Amino acid sequence: MAFTNNIMIVRHKLLADLVRLWKNDQLVEKIDRLPIELSPRKSKPLGRCCVHKERAVWRYKTFPLMGLDMTDEHDEVTPLSDYARMALSRPEPDKENIMCVIDEACSSCVQINYEITNLCRGCVARSCYMNCPKDAIRFKKNGQAMIDHDTCISCGICHKSCPYHAIVYIPVPCEESCPVKAISKDENGTEYIDESKCIYCGKCMNACPFGAIFEISQTFDVLQRIRKGEKMVAIIAPSILGQFKTSIGQVYGAFKEIGFTDVIEVAEGAMSTTSNEAHELLEKLAEGQSFMTTSCCPSYIELVEKHIPGMKPYVSTTGSPMYYAARIAKEKHPDAKIVFVGPCVAKRKEVRRDEAVDYILTFEEVGSILDGLGIQLEQVQEFSVLHTSVREAHGFAQAGGVMGAVKAYLKEEAEKINAIQVSDINKKNIALLRACAKTGKAAGQFIEVMACEGGCITGPSTHNDIVSGRRQLAQELLKRKESYETMDR
């Protein structure tokens, strides 16, 4: 795995260790010792006050990896083994929330966003003092200003008024990364995710420098059912092509090694999305609608539902590739549980709305599972899927892929359609989409919207790093010979 920061290493190592214990039937028996083994007495933790704090953080980070969160702890002396037993014995995942914040880990960010530096000249104008609405500015004996953090409300007025730029803004990374202001501090100073606003883009999860934000994992729900002999079918997102540095046949073979009954490419479902969306686009334009957006990004759908309801008439009603792939899998294996595998946090929400999909694993989790189970990709026997999807369907993994697939499918009819893409749901692009919804006008007739800047291949829960993933995906797409360009509709 190409780690880009230490947080990824921590998440990967911890889940791999838990899976390793599960494999040896020792999860319940040995999990209580895991924090001690990860942070021995003589170790020097980086970023924590002491080894005991570090052990507490390790303890609580196991919660979301086992499908739990901080609300499951009612007594601090309850051993981890009790929670492991709970995770392995529950009939189904039961958490309402998609993400959670580990409060023990969320402890080192600033409580107030503004601080006065030694650049302060102690000027007579005292603009910061005169403009502060809460009288939070105090003065040292030398005349330099200081902020009373008990009174300050982080409004930033002093920052704007200082003529020497001596007052700096100190961001809270998770809050700054969230495009919809869904994360903020609670009364205890710990970050809290408001899921009535959250669009599950996952930006906060990888922005947090202390690794305090987690998805609620279903890893052990899936593994336990495989162990019990239940039929499990993996439907795997197109961006799998850019995740592991081996042949795709060996990657699919690894899923068989884990215990999945069958592997089906979501790219097969993407072909249904392409054809249905193409015909819907032509119908909407013929009816006089000025534009239509794609519908396959679940984070974008959450954005529309929660923040831009005026956009609903312009969003395609076509199902996502997962939607169609799940029904293909159900038809082929009616008695199996369907597990979607991809790079996306928001898919966890879409899965809950789709009765054909039972569980979800991310690429990041799959990498840890392979490590924990000791499966070496290079030694795995290849497995080939039965259905060959067109190159454009696999291209859904990258920004512009959906737009490109629809235009390739429409062939000559696409020449009169102006298509644009909005990749990366940030504050600027949200304002753009909100303006389109309000006016009913857009710069293009067909708009592809992706939450992640480079499309799914740059998703928050990928296994490979962004640069390597993009490069590998591009190389793999070149190998795909089947294309809409060479086939009749």
Side-chain angles (χ1 to χ4, degrees):
M1 178 175 182
F3 298 109
T4 56
N5 63 56
N6 192 55
I7 299 304
M8 296 173 68
I9 296 174
V10 169
R11 282 202 305 251
H12 171 79
K13 176 176 175 53
L14 185 54
L15 182 54
D17 284 346
L18 292 173
V19 172
R20 196 171 292 113
L21 291 177
W22 173 87
K23 174 192 174 186
N24 298 326
D25 289 322
Q26 296 176 331
L27 184 60
V28 174
E29 290 77 7
K30 292 193 174 183
I31 193 173
D32 288 316
R33 293 198 57 81
L34 188 58
I36 299 172
E37 293 172 356
L38 291 170
S39 295
R41 179 177 296 175
K42 302 283 186 183
S43 63
K44 296 180 180 180
L46 298 175
R48 311 285 181 199
C49 62
C50 63
V51 69
H52 305 292
K53 174 73 170 181
E54 187 75 0
R55 288 174 182 175
V57 171
W58 281 120
R59 166 187 166 87
Y60 290 116
K61 283 185 175 182
T62 65
F63 277 44
L65 297 178
M66 294 191 295
L68 308 171
D69 66 13
M70 300 300 290
T71 63
D72 288 297
E73 184 185 67
H74 302 295
D75 189 338
E76 290 184 46
V77 300
T78 303
L80 268 178
S81 53
D82 283 11
Y83 297 108
R85 194 176 289 110
M86 183 193 309
L88 297 181
S89 62
R90 62 171 170 252
E92 292 293 339
D94 55 4
K95 304 307 295 182
E96 290 295 323
N97 49 315
I98 302 292
M99 305 178 75
C100 71
V101 178
I102 307 300
D103 55 12
E104 285 288 342
C106 180
S107 58
S108 297
C109 281
V110 294
Q111 298 298 307
I112 296 297
N113 294 103
Y114 294 91
E115 192 64 82
I116 300 177
T117 71
N118 58 8
L119 292 174
C120 174
R121 309 308 299 168
C123 67
V124 177
R126 296 188 172 181
S127 300
C128 57
Y129 171 78
M130 297 298 293
N131 289 285
C132 178
K134 292 296 180 180
D135 192 27
I137 304 296
R138 304 285 184 267
F139 294 94
K140 302 175 185 178
K141 290 181 180 180
N142 63 0
Q144 283 190 331
M146 59 182 289
I147 296 174
D148 179 358
H149 287 172
D150 292 329
T151 309
C152 179
I153 58 172
S154 285
C155 65
I157 292 176
C158 62
H159 170 71
K160 295 176 183 176
S161 63
C162 177
Y164 293 106
H165 303 287
I167 304 176
V168 296
Y169 169 71
I170 307 172
V172 177
C174 62
E175 292 180 9
E176 191 173 47
S177 70
C178 180
V180 293
K181 298 182 179 180
I183 187 165
S184 59
K185 290 182 178 64
D186 62 15
E187 63 275 9
N188 299 314
T190 301
E191 295 296 331
Y192 165 76
I193 298 173
D194 183 350
E195 297 218 11
S196 68
K197 297 179 181 178
C198 184
I199 61 173
Y200 313 111
C201 61
K203 294 179 188 293
C204 63
M205 185 174 72
N206 289 323
C208 174
F210 293 93
I213 304 174
F214 276 74
E215 306 170 67
I216 307 294
S217 178
Q218 296 180 355
T219 296
F220 291 99
D221 299 285
V222 173
L223 291 177
Q224 276 293 91
R225 276 145 190 80
I226 289 175
R227 173 170 282 175
K228 291 176 182 177
E230 295 185 34
K231 289 182 67 176
M232 308 290 280
V233 174
I235 57 172
I236 306 180
S239 45
I240 190 69
L241 294 178
Q243 298 306 308
F244 299 93
K245 301 186 188 305
T246 185
S247 72
I248 193 62
Q250 287 179 307
V251 174
Y252 292 157
F255 279 88
K256 295 287 287 183
E257 289 265 335
I258 292 171
F260 285 94
T261 304
D262 196 6
V263 173
I264 292 174
E265 291 181 330
V266 171
E268 186 175 349
M271 294 182 68
S272 296
T273 297
T274 300
S275 59
N276 291 340
E277 197 147 71
H279 292 300
E280 183 180 2
L281 174 62
L282 294 178
E283 290 173 8
K284 291 285 179 68
L285 295 179
E287 291 169 1
Q289 185 168 300
S290 57
F291 70 92
M292 186 185 84
T293 76
T294 55
S295 58
C296 56
C297 175
S299 191
Y300 170 57
I301 297 302
E302 291 295 313
L303 176 71
V304 171
E305 288 288 334
K306 296 175 179 177
H307 300 279
I308 318 177
M311 182 64 83
K312 287 183 181 180
Y314 303 100
V315 178
S316 168
T317 59
T318 297
S320 70
M322 183 194 79
Y323 175 89
Y324 296 111
R327 278 141 188 84
I328 292 168
K330 277 292 186 185
E331 184 176 350
K332 187 176 178 182
H333 303 281
D335 57 339
K337 297 287 188 182
I338 308 302
V339 182
F340 173 81
V341 184
C344 182
V345 176
K347 279 293 183 184
R348 294 187 186 277
K349 188 69 172 180
E350 184 183 348
V351 163
R352 292 186 179 183
R353 294 193 296 262
D354 193 335
E355 70 281 358
V357 187
D358 301 285
Y359 303 104
I360 178 171
L361 290 176
T362 65
F363 293 145
E364 186 177 52
E365 289 168 340
V366 169
S368 296
I369 290 170
L370 295 175
D371 193 357
L373 295 180
I375 297 173
Q376 301 294 323
L377 283 170
E378 297 78 8
Q379 300 172 10
V380 170
Q381 183 178 351
E382 292 199 3
F383 175 81
S384 299
V385 295
L386 294 177
H387 186 274
T388 300
S389 303
V390 296
R391 181 174 61 246
E392 291 84 357
H394 292 280
F396 268 56
Q398 60 188 355
V402 183
M403 178 179 72
V406 169
K407 294 191 76 171
Y409 177 85
L410 289 175
K411 298 184 186 303
E412 294 81 9
E413 293 171 286
E415 294 177 4
K416 54 190 177 185
I417 297 173
N418 180 28
I420 61 174
Q421 56 175 297
V422 177
S423 58
D424 189 8
I425 292 182
N426 53 31
K427 292 170 186 176
K428 180 181 178 181
N429 283 333
I430 289 175
L432 172 66
L433 292 169
R434 189 172 278 122
C436 292
K438 185 176 181 180
T439 62
K441 298 178 182 179
Q445 297 164 298
F446 184 45
I447 306 175
E448 176 194 294
V449 186
M450 291 282 192
C452 300
E453 186 174 359
C456 303
I457 193 64
T458 63
S461 302
T462 53
H463 174 75
N464 206 351
D465 71 276
I466 291 174
V467 175
S468 299
R470 281 176 161 175
R471 186 188 306 117
Q472 187 175 322
L473 174 66
Q475 292 170 350
E476 288 293 327
L477 290 177
L478 290 175
K479 297 176 185 177
R480 306 279 161 163
K481 304 303 180 185
E482 294 287 332
S483 171
Y484 284 129
E485 297 173 359
T486 58
M487 62 184 292
D488 297 325
R489 278 198 286 167

